[in-house]
Amino acid sequence: MSVRVRFAPSPTGYLHIGGARTALFNWLYARHCGGKLVLRIEDTDAARNTQEATDAILNGLRWLGLAWDEGPLTGDATGAGRGDRGPYFQSQRRENYQRRVEALLQHDLAYERDGAIRFRMRREATVFEDLIVGEVRRELTDREQEDPDFVIVRSDGQPVFHLTNVVDDLEMGITHVIRGEDHLSNTPKHIALFEAFGVPAPKYAHIPLILNPNGSKMSKRDEGASLQTYVEEGYAPEAVLNYLCLLGWSPKDNQEFLNADELVERFDLPQVLRHNARFDLAKLQWMNGQYLARLNDDRFHELCVHALGRAGIDTNRFPVAYVKAALDTCRGKLKTFSELPGYAGFYFADAVEYDPEAARTQFVAEARPRLLRLREAYAGLGDFNAGMLEAQLKNTAGELGVKAGVLVHPVRLACTGKTSGPSLYHLLEVLGKARVLELLDRALAAIPG
RNA sequence: GGCGCGUUCGUCUAUCGGUUUAGGACGCGGCCCUCUCAAGGCCGAAAGACGGGUUCGACUCCCGUACGCGCUGCCA
């Protein structure tokens, strides 16, 4: 029997980082086994589930590159889907639940009380084998000792999670349920429901949770909990994917950089760790920087242009060769693309704005004659390339009897407005002679004395 | 409270009873490189929660305690 797994998020407004990893593990397992990944939207709570919320999930999964074999195509619950086990929105499956509940009622496996329908739960401990956790033996809690039955349909007619989840997994032919460990304690209920429906329960694999840096459960409002944050801050999806799978899973050989193909090849359920992991933003940032440095030129340029565009910088106003040359000076310098506008914005700005603090320390009277000297030297340069620019600057510094840095800092400030940025000589080369001389003249005019 | 799961450097992890002075990575500190900021190179500090067993031998197996997380809802 071929493997069928599913990712079944509830549209709460965005894709949670923990949910993204659950989706990732499901996707990896499906691909690893040559099985299918089903995406199901658990939107039974109509009041707070909107199409935008579902779109956020779909877009998040697409951004990560996690394609599903069956499921919705858009966030529209009544819209088209792919696959023959739909609908894939729970809000469209009311009849399925009703039919199943009728059957339960008829066989006296459920009963009505106070207007709600309750399932007759077994009255003893449940033992099951979890693919990750191992054998789990769950005794009845004190509350369950008194009354183990639980509600499957509310008095307002709404079916509850335990019921819909099981009915859908059953009808969608799910063979492996890979989900967060927060569901481990619910599993006996689900197994009992499957048995009541006369079918064996699927195999279960509960993955550990992702915690905040302080060890608390990462949820909703927590910093960095939304995948959208990483999309917006210019992370490379391949880096986020790589980092996420290292939370709770390890290739065991100290290799940390794995692309999607390698992950699919090596991922398997038994190697998933059993304990929760804390989310470490610093390591994600480092890893993202590594990915950025290794991206091929086209992809790097593409993502750069995108990031600049988001910041309101339109690179289309400039020659393609200029843009590429400018961006090349940023290679290996960024940890995230959100840093790019501030780092390379000067290449595309009409006027340079001097950092006030830096201007106060660099644009002082003594700097004026030195800058003037360099300006004249640069004006006489035929070949305006990095090598020549460096040689000339050092030469001028020598004549002035100062260290190179004494010239470097004011020149950088004059041309970029900042105290840090790409390699000075390379940046000057990209800017070009005319522009550099113009910028130096402007700086000279701004320096007192 | 009850039930379940977990516990190796600050963090992510390797180790699946002896090959280990417990390895790698992030972060942190130092040095080098250097036009700034990064990157890169080198070096360093840093861990088996605690207590009992089992065993010739335990981080690794068992029990207890502590701590953490989860579930305990007519939320999902």
Side-chain angles (χ1 to χ4, degrees):
Chain A
M1 182 173 63
S2 74
V3 167
R4 287 175 63 83
V5 297
R6 47 64 162 187
F7 176 53
S10 180
T12 53
Y14 59 80
L15 181 54
H16 187 267
I17 199 79
R21 191 191 53 157
T22 300
L24 170 61
F25 281 12
N26 273 283
W27 181 82
L28 287 172
Y29 190 66
R31 290 287 171 279
H32 180 78
C33 301
K36 297 267 192 272
L37 171 64
V38 177
L39 174 63
R40 179 173 76 232
I41 305 300
E42 305 212 332
D43 60 341
T44 52
D45 190 348
R48 69 172 193 226
N49 294 314
T50 62
Q51 177 166 169
E52 294 78 67
T54 302
D55 280 329
I57 290 170
L58 265 43
N59 291 334
L61 293 175
R62 289 187 178 119
W63 183 76
L64 280 173
L66 305 182
W68 52 98
D69 302 291
E70 295 177 25
L73 259 20
T74 73
D76 177 6
T78 59
R82 175 172 45 233
D84 55 7
R85 307 272 192 134
Y88 295 97
F89 283 82
Q90 291 194 330
S91 60
Q92 309 301 311
R93 301 176 60 80
R94 292 297 295 275
E95 321 82 84
N96 303 54
Y97 309 134
Q98 275 169 13
R99 199 167 55 239
R100 293 288 177 177
V101 170
E102 285 304 324
L104 253 24
L105 251 14
Q106 266 172 26
H107 296 283
D108 194 36
L109 293 166
Y111 59 94
E112 184 170 347
R113 191 168 95 187
D114 301 334
I117 297 174
R118 292 163 55 92
F119 176 71
R120 288 194 201 284
M121 183 62 179
R122 60 173 60 140
R123 260 129 246 260
E124 68 274 358
T126 300
V127 180
F128 64 96
E129 189 68 21
D130 187 284
L131 263 25
I132 292 169
V133 184
E135 183 183 283
V136 177
R137 179 187 177 82
R138 218 200 76 126
E139 303 287 345
L140 263 41
T141 64
D142 52 2
R143 200 163 303 184
E144 289 165 343
Q145 299 273 9
E146 290 177 30
D147 179 12
D149 299 348
F150 59 93
V151 172
I152 52 176
V153 180
R154 293 194 283 260
S155 49
D156 66 1
Q158 279 287 331
V160 310
F161 163 74
H162 300 302
L163 193 256
T164 60
N165 192 266
V166 166
V167 168
D168 290 349
D169 282 344
L170 191 172
E171 298 184 353
M172 292 180 184
I174 300 305
T175 60
H176 296 68
V177 172
I178 303 170
R179 65 196 346 181
E181 196 204 309
D182 46 344
H183 287 298
L184 190 61
S185 296
N186 293 148
T187 303
K189 288 183 176 133
H190 300 172
I191 289 174
L193 279 168
F194 273 106
E195 288 175 358
F197 290 129
V199 300
K203 294 193 188 320
Y204 289 96
H206 288 90
I207 64 181
L209 269 22
I210 296 180
L211 268 26
N212 286 312
N214 68 10
S216 63
K217 184 189 178 186
M218 193 178 224
S219 62
K220 283 250 156 194
R221 296 194 192 79
D222 289 316
E223 183 77 30
S226 168
L227 187 75
Q228 193 58 27
T229 306
Y230 307 98
V231 176
E232 285 168 7
E233 295 196 359
Y235 283 76
E238 44 273 65
V240 175
L241 185 90
N242 193 156
Y243 176 71
L244 241 29
C245 76
L246 257 21
L247 249 29
W249 176 80
S250 165
K252 311 276 186 195
D253 62 358
N254 286 341
Q255 189 182 343
E256 292 196 302
F257 288 89
L258 301 110
N259 63 36
D261 288 342
E262 293 171 313
L263 289 171
V264 166
E265 166 74 27
R266 305 184 60 169
F267 182 86
D268 204 356
L269 261 12
Q271 299 144 22
V272 175
L273 278 321
R274 278 153 287 256
H275 59 268
N276 297 339
R278 300 185 193 205
F279 189 78
D280 185 358
L281 183 60
K283 183 149 188 179
L284 203 210
Q285 286 176 336
W286 165 79
M287 183 163 268
N288 194 61
Q290 295 290 315
Y291 267 87
L292 260 44
R294 298 175 198 187
L295 289 176
N296 67 49
D297 286 349
D298 286 346
R299 176 91 169 125
F300 181 73
H301 291 147
E302 176 193 334
L303 292 173
C304 279
V305 167
H306 181 71
L308 290 169
R310 290 184 63 95
I313 298 171
D314 179 14
T315 52
N316 287 321
R317 295 165 50 217
F318 302 84
V320 174
Y322 173 81
V323 175
K324 287 195 170 185
L327 297 177
D328 280 341
T329 66
C330 304
R331 288 299 296 232
K333 299 277 197 171
L334 308 168
K335 278 192 175 171
T336 70
F337 282 111
S338 62
E339 299 164 27
L340 187 63
Y343 194 80
F346 70 89
Y347 280 124
F348 313 104
D350 294 325
V352 170
E353 277 185 47
Y354 306 126
D355 174 81
E357 175 66 30
R360 196 155 48 241
T361 57
Q362 294 300 330
F363 286 176
V364 292
E366 311 87 82
R368 205 162 192 289
R370 295 173 186 151
L371 264 190
L372 195 56
R373 183 79 168 265
L374 185 70
R375 189 244 181 253
E376 293 316 317
Y378 275 179
L381 232 39
D383 244 347
F384 213 72
N385 63 52
M388 293 293 285
L389 288 162
E390 177 170 8
Q392 188 57 265
L393 183 140
K394 287 183 172 167
N395 187 37
T396 302
E399 290 171 11
L400 291 166
V402 297
K403 288 183 183 173
V406 173
L407 282 176
V408 166
H409 297 296
V411 173
R412 175 181 296 284
L413 184 61
C415 296
T416 72
K418 295 173 178 292
T419 56
S420 68
S423 159
L424 179 68
Y425 310 115
H426 292 89
L427 132 206
L428 294 177
E429 177 182 329
V430 172
L431 251 16
K433 186 171 178 177
R435 176 69 170 154
V436 168
L437 295 183
E438 178 194 337
L439 288 168
L440 288 176
D441 286 338
R442 278 205 46 225
L444 251 7
I447 298 177

